[in-house]
Amino acid sequence: MKLAPIGVFALLASTIGKFGFDVLVSLLKYGVLVIIALMIHAAVIISFAVKMIGKLSPVKFWSAIRPAMLVAFSTSSSNATLPVTMESVEKELKVPRVISSFVLPLGATINMDGTAIYQCISIFFIAQVYGIEISVAKMVIIVLSVVLASIGAAGAPMAGVLIMVMIMQSSGVPTEGIAMIMGVERLMDMTRTTVNIIGDASAAVVMTQLEKNA
Ligand code: ASP
């Protein structure tokens, strides 16, 4: 662990040596793109699900889960945030304990929508920097693999990167490209973890409504 910063520095230096300083501008664009994609997913798709299926006002939903979002953002861990997520949805959104205690721990382990979005953009970005053509069919395979693999990612900091390495290997994208995105990884992890726990909380709200209808 102590040697990791030196290793990342060396890999980054060799990547910049190979592709020039322009790669840093691309890195900035990549970071902004990941954040915008995550925000669109949370603000549009999740709010839509909460409103249409969960029958709850998105404003109420967002204000209730603010504490959990803050903890997720600062710890980069869905698992560490779990107690706060449970408290927020139970106390503020009146999700019954029987639902929250099943949906949220399960969601913290397998529901990683933010991680899946991050992994897709990262793999396509690295492939683009290395000039690797990705056909539409391969894109579909990568997206499906990422969705399935993100289920296996632990709710811990940087877990998504480890899983991404396997997908990159199987799809012929050079894994050393990861060094390039390491510089912004912490910020990416904070943002995607926040979206992961928002997704979990929305699932609890949706399940509560579905149970009411059942
Ligand atoms: N840090 C994320 C989480 O805990 C997992 C990841 O690395 O994508 O949800």
Side-chain angles (χ1 to χ4, degrees), residues 76-79 112 115 153-161 189 192-193 196:
S76 295
S77 165
S78 303
N79 286 351
M112 300 268 172
T115 298
M158 278 188 70
V161 177
D189 202 358
R192 67 179 185 259
T193 307
N196 286 345

Side-chain angles (χ1 to χ4, degrees), residues 168-212:
M168 288 172 75
Q169 273 167 346
S170 63
S171 41
V173 178
T175 46
E176 59 269 28
I178 294 220
M180 224 164 19
I181 56 172
M182 269 306 151
V184 288
E185 163 56 18
R186 184 67 193 176
L187 180 63
M188 299 295 102
D189 202 358
M190 292 160 96
T191 335
R192 67 179 185 259
T193 307
T194 309
V195 173
N196 286 345
I197 68 102
I198 296 170
D200 300 342
S202 70
V205 168
V206 165
M207 279 312 294
T208 306
Q209 186 59 33
L210 293 180
E211 275 300 303
K212 265 188 210 157

Side-chain angles (χ1 to χ4, degrees), residues 12-198:
L12 204 55
S14 100
T15 310
I16 292 175
K18 209 188 283 174
F19 299 107
F21 274 101
D22 287 353
V23 82
L24 292 180
V25 178
S26 312
L27 187 63
L28 184 73
K29 287 188 194 157
Y30 151 81
V32 172
L33 179 67
V34 171
I35 292 174
I36 291 178
L38 290 172
M39 282 168 72
I40 292 177
H41 173 68
V44 181
I45 315 276
I46 294 183
S47 295
F48 184 79
V50 165
K51 176 83 192 140
M52 301 312 285
I53 317 175
K55 307 275 183 254
L56 179 77
S57 144
V59 178
K60 192 165 175 218
F61 173 76
W62 288 105
S63 79
I65 60 159
R66 253 190 349 231
M69 285 169 66
L70 274 177
V71 177
F73 191 74
S74 48
T75 60
S76 295
S77 165
S78 303
N79 286 351
T81 314
L82 186 56
V84 189
T85 320
M86 288 183 77
E87 195 179 309
S88 301
V89 299
E90 282 169 18
K91 287 210 176 120
E92 308 285 329
L93 299 176
K94 309 286 175 247
V95 169
R97 181 123 241 235
V98 63
I99 292 182
S100 71
S101 62
F102 177 72
V103 173
L104 292 176
L106 195 65
T109 336
I110 66 169
N111 179 30
M112 300 268 172
D113 32 3
T115 298
I117 291 170
Y118 155 83
Q119 289 175 334
C120 280
I121 298 177
S122 302
I123 294 175
F124 295 148
F125 168 70
I126 293 170
Q128 205 173 23
V129 171
Y130 281 83
I132 294 167
E133 268 306 313
I134 297 191
S135 62
V136 176
K138 205 166 174 189
M139 264 185 207
V140 174
I141 292 173
I142 291 178
V143 170
L144 289 177
S145 321
V146 156
V147 171
L148 288 175
S150 65
I151 293 174
M158 278 188 70
V161 177
L162 301 178
I163 298 286
M164 192 168 76
V165 173
M166 291 190 311
I167 303 168
M168 288 172 75
Q169 273 167 346
S170 63
S171 41
V173 178
T175 46
E176 59 269 28
I178 294 220
M180 224 164 19
I181 56 172
M182 269 306 151
V184 288
E185 163 56 18
R186 184 67 193 176
L187 180 63
M188 299 295 102
D189 202 358
M190 292 160 96
T191 335
R192 67 179 185 259
T193 307
T194 309
V195 173
N196 286 345
I197 68 102
I198 296 170

